[in-house]
Amino acid sequence: MTRVRTRYAPSPTGRMHVGNLRTALYAYLIAKHEGGDFLLRIEDTDQERYVEGAVEIIYRTLEDTGLIHDEGPDKDGGCGPYVQSERQKAGIYMEYAKKLVEKGEAYYCFCTPERLESLRRTVNGEEIMTYDKHCLHLSKEEVEANLKAGKPFVIRQNNPTEGTTTFHDEIYGDITVDNSELDDMVLIKSDGYPTYNFANVVDDHLMGITHVVRGNEYLSSSPKYNRLYEAFGWEVPVYVHCPLITDENHHKLSKRSGHSSFEDLLEQGFVSEAVVNYVALLGWSPEGNREIFSLEEMVKEFDYHRMSKSPAVFDMTKLRWMNGEYLKAMDEERFYEMALPYIKEVIHKDLDLRKIASMVKTRIEVFPDIPAHIDFFEAMPEYDISMYTHKKMKCTAETSLKVLSDVLPILEAQEQFDNDSLYGVLSKYVSDTGVKTGFVMWPIRTALSGKQMTPAGATEIMDVLGKEESLARIRAGIQKLSDGLQ
């Protein structure tokens, strides 16, 4: 049985789009599920679109997500990636293009930009250019004379104009196209560089790629790829085309949406494991109702036959929920280190930041949620005495004033001002007065925070604030209630 080999072949044009990350992930999972190889190839032959630093982004993203490639021509003996521009310098693509010319499957084209422009036409409101095979009919002598004269040229694929071409995709099944729709695409550009389409096929064959995973926008190009494989006499790989990813409004993900790239999501406070987990579910349905998977678990579970043809909707609400689940399960030390910058945005006092981090760990979905949960530790917000009213707890401004007035001397006399000690003395007050715990804790928490929602209870908040600040806030609450009830 042939060893499964997949590849991720990004172009260094900027941040890694969510769709590209999914392609890399699926290629990795398909290979690793079968105990095969996952390769990385940098497709940098389009020099006009090359973005400085983009290659480093690719490396960093794959490392962050755990999608480690297996082999490559690294000078230090490691697993460096395959790089098309380096292969271009070795003359690989021109060599194979000339083989196609010799077979009559490709030809030199010397048409000027002006002539090509004249072939443009409008179809259904869209401007297209279909080459008319003009240079296919040049004699061998004319071609040689043009080459000798240094006339600029490209090499084009010679596609038939009659009949049909059929190819099979594992997700979309058999797809047949009329050959009249197959333009004679350029294989080698006038600068000597191969086009993406041609280099793609040559490299996939030379690297022994058995399964080609890519977005379904490449379905229309696949017949041309197949004809190249057949022209060379090479085995056609297994095609796995992934469905489109849209936003919640069923539009293609755009940079304006704010979640089109992996780095966008990290900057918004998501963790890489959650992003990878969520992206895996954009087009793939595991057996059962389970949704949380580690990368190792996905390798075991992934079956590309369970991928969908339908567009996958990127649901930010769902991703936030999933990220929250990952934060809850995260190691305490790692969570603290990642949460610390967000805590320090609003907390400048000398407080126990580790305790504050523990409070928010199960309350947030993304790290930027933290400041709004904890800003009251730094300074009390303005609040109205109506916040002391709680129907379920049967609290009113009047009852809250009495509770705060009662517990103030108890807390003033308390020497041990930690959570357990504070909870103990307040529980005794609850028991002695015959009221419910919430009836006491609600007004205290309100006086301490000025908020209806806090990441922890009254005694935990006092533990962090300390005795002096806690008592000062309770006294201020008593004053606010007294003034408001006059």
Side-chain angles (χ1 to χ4, degrees), residues 222-259:
S222 295
K224 299 176 188 178
Y225 297 153
N226 266 29
R227 297 204 67 84
L228 286 173
Y229 279 106
E230 290 165 3
F232 281 119
W234 296 340
E235 185 176 350
V236 177
V238 175
Y239 290 126
V240 182
H241 284 88
C242 309
L244 180 69
I245 300 176
T246 71
D247 61 20
E248 292 92 338
N249 298 315
H250 304 287
H251 298 142
K252 190 175 180 180
L253 284 187
S254 68
K255 290 181 180 178
R256 288 192 301 274
S257 69
H259 49 263

Side-chain angles (χ1 to χ4, degrees), residues 8 16-28 67 213-217 241-245 279-284 307 310-312:
Y8 175 50
M16 192 183 291
H17 188 276
V18 165
N20 291 335
L21 174 59
R22 184 188 61 178
T23 297
L25 176 60
Y26 284 5
Y28 177 89
L67 306 182
V213 185
R214 57 187 173 221
N216 68 359
E217 65 268 27
H241 284 88
C242 309
L244 180 69
I245 300 176
V279 166
L281 301 177
L282 294 175
W284 169 65
M307 285 170 58
S310 304

Side-chain angles (χ1 to χ4, degrees), residues 403-404 407 426 440-449 458 462 474:
V403 167
L404 292 180
V407 300
L426 290 176
V440 175
M441 298 299 185
W442 178 262
I444 298 174
R445 189 165 66 86
T446 302
L448 294 168
S449 68
M462 284 192 283
I474 290 172

Side-chain angles (χ1 to χ4, degrees), residues 439-474:
F439 184 82
V440 175
M441 298 299 185
W442 178 262
I444 298 174
R445 189 165 66 86
T446 302
L448 294 168
S449 68
K451 289 193 166 193
Q452 288 193 321
M453 300 290 291
T454 60
T459 55
E460 293 169 293
I461 292 171
M462 284 192 283
D463 187 340
V464 170
L465 286 174
K467 185 172 183 178
E468 184 180 345
E469 178 66 17
S470 297
L471 295 178
R473 292 189 181 194
I474 290 172

Side-chain angles (χ1 to χ4, degrees), residues 47-95:
Q47 296 296 293
E48 291 182 4
R49 296 181 64 225
Y50 180 84
V51 173
E52 197 68 39
V55 172
E56 287 68 32
I57 290 175
I58 292 168
Y59 296 158
R60 187 167 63 244
T61 301
L62 293 179
E63 185 177 348
D64 287 348
T65 54
L67 306 182
I68 308 303
H69 59 279
D70 288 304
E71 67 177 54
D74 189 79
K75 295 182 180 65
D76 299 321
C79 293
Y82 291 85
V83 180
Q84 281 188 338
S85 58
E86 293 175 5
R87 296 162 72 77
Q88 148 71 14
K89 290 172 187 173
I92 292 173
Y93 307 112
M94 183 65 80
E95 175 192 341

Side-chain angles (χ1 to χ4, degrees), residues 184-426:
D184 285 359
M185 69 176 178
V186 173
L187 305 180
I188 301 292
K189 297 178 287 187
S190 58
D191 61 4
Y193 274 81
T195 58
Y196 168 86
N197 292 319
F198 184 56
N200 202 282
V201 169
V202 172
D203 282 337
D204 282 347
H205 171 73
L206 295 179
M207 292 166 64
I209 301 304
T210 61
H211 292 64
V212 170
V213 185
R214 57 187 173 221
N216 68 359
E217 65 268 27
Y218 292 104
L219 276 171
S220 60
S221 301
S222 295
K224 299 176 188 178
Y225 297 153
N226 266 29
R227 297 204 67 84
L228 286 173
Y229 279 106
E230 290 165 3
F232 281 119
W234 296 340
E235 185 176 350
V236 177
V238 175
Y239 290 126
V240 182
H241 284 88
C242 309
L244 180 69
I245 300 176
T246 71
D247 61 20
E248 292 92 338
N249 298 315
H250 304 287
H251 298 142
K252 190 175 180 180
L253 284 187
S254 68
K255 290 181 180 178
R256 288 192 301 274
S257 69
H259 49 263
S260 65
S261 83
F262 176 72
E263 290 200 336
D264 288 340
L265 295 171
L266 292 190
E267 288 172 0
Q268 291 172 46
F270 293 93
V271 293
S272 59
E273 300 95 321
V275 175
V276 169
N277 189 161
Y278 182 71
V279 166
L281 301 177
L282 294 175
W284 169 65
S285 300
E287 290 188 15
N289 298 319
R290 185 180 172 192
E291 294 183 296
I292 305 294
F293 293 91
S294 67
L295 186 59
E296 293 74 20
E297 289 167 335
M298 277 187 261
V299 167
K300 292 178 184 176
E301 294 286 333
F302 194 81
D303 178 358
Y304 65 79
H305 297 101
R306 294 185 64 85
M307 285 170 58
S308 171
K309 299 178 187 177
S310 304
V313 177
F314 192 105
D315 183 345
M316 187 59 92
T317 301
K318 180 71 172 288
L319 175 57
R320 283 181 61 92
W321 165 81
M322 184 171 285
N323 199 74
E325 294 301 301
Y326 271 86
L327 295 186
K328 289 172 188 171
M330 187 179 285
D331 169 78
E332 293 287 343
E333 187 61 28
R334 184 186 172 205
F335 180 84
Y336 175 68
E337 289 176 3
M338 295 185 75
L340 193 56
Y342 299 92
I343 295 173
K344 286 185 173 180
E345 279 183 26
V346 292
I347 303 297
H348 307 293
K349 291 179 176 178
D350 183 18
L351 300 176
D352 190 330
L353 304 187
R354 286 185 180 274
K355 285 183 178 178
I356 292 176
S358 295
M359 287 179 182
V360 297
K361 190 169 183 282
T362 60
R363 302 297 185 105
I364 62 169
E365 293 182 321
V366 290
F367 287 108
D369 291 347
I370 290 175
H373 280 275
I374 65 170
D375 53 2
F376 70 89
F377 280 109
E378 179 69 15
M380 279 290 291
E382 286 297 322
Y383 71 98
D384 189 87
I385 65 167
S386 61
M387 283 185 59
Y388 284 98
T389 300
H390 194 297
K391 290 182 180 179
K392 187 177 179 181
M393 305 287 186
K394 297 183 179 178
C395 296
T396 63
E398 290 81 3
T399 63
S400 294
L401 177 58
K402 181 177 188 324
V403 167
L404 292 180
S405 300
D406 285 352
V407 300
L408 179 60
I410 297 173
L411 296 173
E412 286 174 331
Q414 182 64 25
E415 293 184 8
Q416 295 293 323
F417 220 78
D418 59 89
N419 177 52
D420 291 343
S421 301
L422 291 167
Y423 194 82
V425 296
L426 290 176

